[in-house]
């Protein structure tokens, strides 16, 4: 895990997928875990989480995978009433967790999954990160914010999994390559070796 101190005293945290998994694993409840995984596994912002309902989940054309429609996405252009719309990838495991939670909580299709405030969700992440410190002994977890979860998702797919930037822009709601750049860290050594060993120089 690597941290960078920002000018305002906060920190930017870069962590691996394995380090990330300690956070949802430390969640207090299904509701908390779902909120965390919507950020860390689906690339949602905190405000976007608050608008997700069961009806926003649908199977993709192959019948095996799922997508999640976001209707209240961040709009930096001012062109959308109520927020920008996009579809993002919903891992099968996360869909199963959500489905179980919806059944146990008795939610209707149009009920928000997370009926809390933005600050409450931020607190859930802080609380789970504190427990991750106890589990791992790594005190840097105390610096993790909700936005670091989105950054971890983007960095993992772009840098470590080599997913196309165009696909990432569509899933994450970015309008340009410049908007993605702040989410990237330096490639890990394994990616450098894999990429460069196939190149003839």
């Amino acid at each position: 895990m690597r941290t960078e101190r920002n000018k305002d005293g906060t920190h930017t945290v870069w962590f691996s997928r394995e380090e990330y998994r300690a956070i949802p694993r430390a969640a207090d409840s299904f509701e908390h875990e779902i909120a965390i995984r919507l950020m860390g596994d689906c690339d949602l912002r905190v405000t976007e989480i608050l608008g997700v309902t069961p009806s926003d989940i649908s199977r993709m054309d192959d019948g095996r995978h799922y997508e999640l429609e976001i209707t209240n996405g961040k709009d930096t252009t001012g062109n959308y009433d109520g927020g920008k719309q996009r579809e993002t990838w919903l891992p099968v495991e996360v869909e199963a967790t959500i489905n179980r939670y919806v059944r146990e909580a008795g939610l209707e299709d149009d009920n928000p999954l997370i009926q809390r405030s933005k600050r409450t969700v931020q607190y859930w992440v802080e609380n789970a990160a504190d427990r991750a410190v106890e589990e791992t002994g790594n005190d840097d977890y105390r610096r993790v914010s909700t936005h670091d979860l989105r950054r971890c998702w983007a960095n993992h797919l772009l840098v470590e999994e080599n997913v196309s930037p165009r696909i990432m822009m569509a899933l994450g709601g970015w309008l340009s390559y410049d908007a993605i750049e702040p989410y990237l860290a330096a490639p890990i050594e394994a990616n450098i070796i894999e990429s460069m060993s196939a190149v003839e120089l």
Side-chain angles (χ1 to χ4, degrees):
M1 189 178 297
R2 180 167 63 86
T3 66
E4 295 177 0
R5 186 176 178 85
N6 302 315
K7 290 181 180 179
D8 62 1
T10 62
H11 288 81
T12 296
V13 181
W14 306 94
F15 45 95
S16 70
R17 291 307 288 173
E18 192 55 42
E19 289 168 329
Y20 154 73
R21 290 187 183 101
I23 299 176
R25 193 164 57 233
D28 271 341
S29 66
F30 268 151
E31 184 183 25
H32 295 194
E33 179 185 350
I34 288 166
I36 291 168
R37 297 196 69 181
L38 285 173
M39 289 178 278
D41 291 86
C42 306
D43 191 40
L44 271 65
R45 300 172 178 89
V46 179
T47 52
E48 293 171 340
I49 288 171
L50 305 181
V52 174
T53 68
S55 64
D56 296 326
I57 298 170
S58 60
R59 284 186 187 271
M60 301 183 81
D61 289 342
D62 68 354
R64 295 171 36 239
H65 295 98
Y66 294 89
E67 65 183 1
L68 175 63
E69 182 180 17
I70 292 107
T71 57
N72 63 333
K74 183 178 180 181
D75 175 22
T76 57
T77 66
N79 294 331
Y80 301 89
D81 291 333
K84 190 167 58 175
Q85 184 270 344
R86 74 177 192 276
E87 287 83 32
T88 193
W89 182 262
L90 180 65
V92 172
E93 182 186 347
V94 179
E95 190 279 334
T97 302
I98 291 173
N99 190 35
R100 179 178 172 186
Y101 171 67
V102 167
R103 291 196 316 270
E104 292 186 0
L107 297 180
E108 302 292 336
D109 281 349
D110 60 350
N111 292 155
L113 294 179
I114 310 299
Q115 302 178 35
R116 307 288 179 165
S117 69
K118 175 181 176 180
R119 181 64 193 110
T120 296
V121 174
Q122 291 170 331
Y123 173 74
W124 291 348
V125 172
E126 293 165 7
N127 201 24
D130 283 344
R131 281 194 296 279
V133 172
E134 299 172 8
E135 177 188 329
T136 65
N138 187 343
D139 205 55
D140 283 340
Y141 277 104
R142 298 191 196 281
R143 295 174 172 172
V144 171
S145 70
T146 54
H147 200 68
D148 292 320
L149 304 181
R150 177 171 158 89
R151 183 182 299 107
C152 177
W153 177 90
N155 185 69
H156 172 68
L157 294 183
L158 279 166
V159 177
E160 298 177 18
E161 298 292 344
N162 298 312
V163 173
S164 163
R166 288 192 177 276
I167 291 176
M168 296 296 296
M169 287 169 64
L171 296 178
W174 291 289
L175 298 177
S176 69
Y177 294 111
D178 288 344
I180 296 177
E181 198 279 332
Y183 292 85
L184 304 182
I188 61 174
E189 185 176 273
N191 292 108
I192 294 173
I193 292 171
E194 180 180 353
S195 296
M196 296 307 294
S197 62
V199 174
E200 292 186 15
L201 291 174

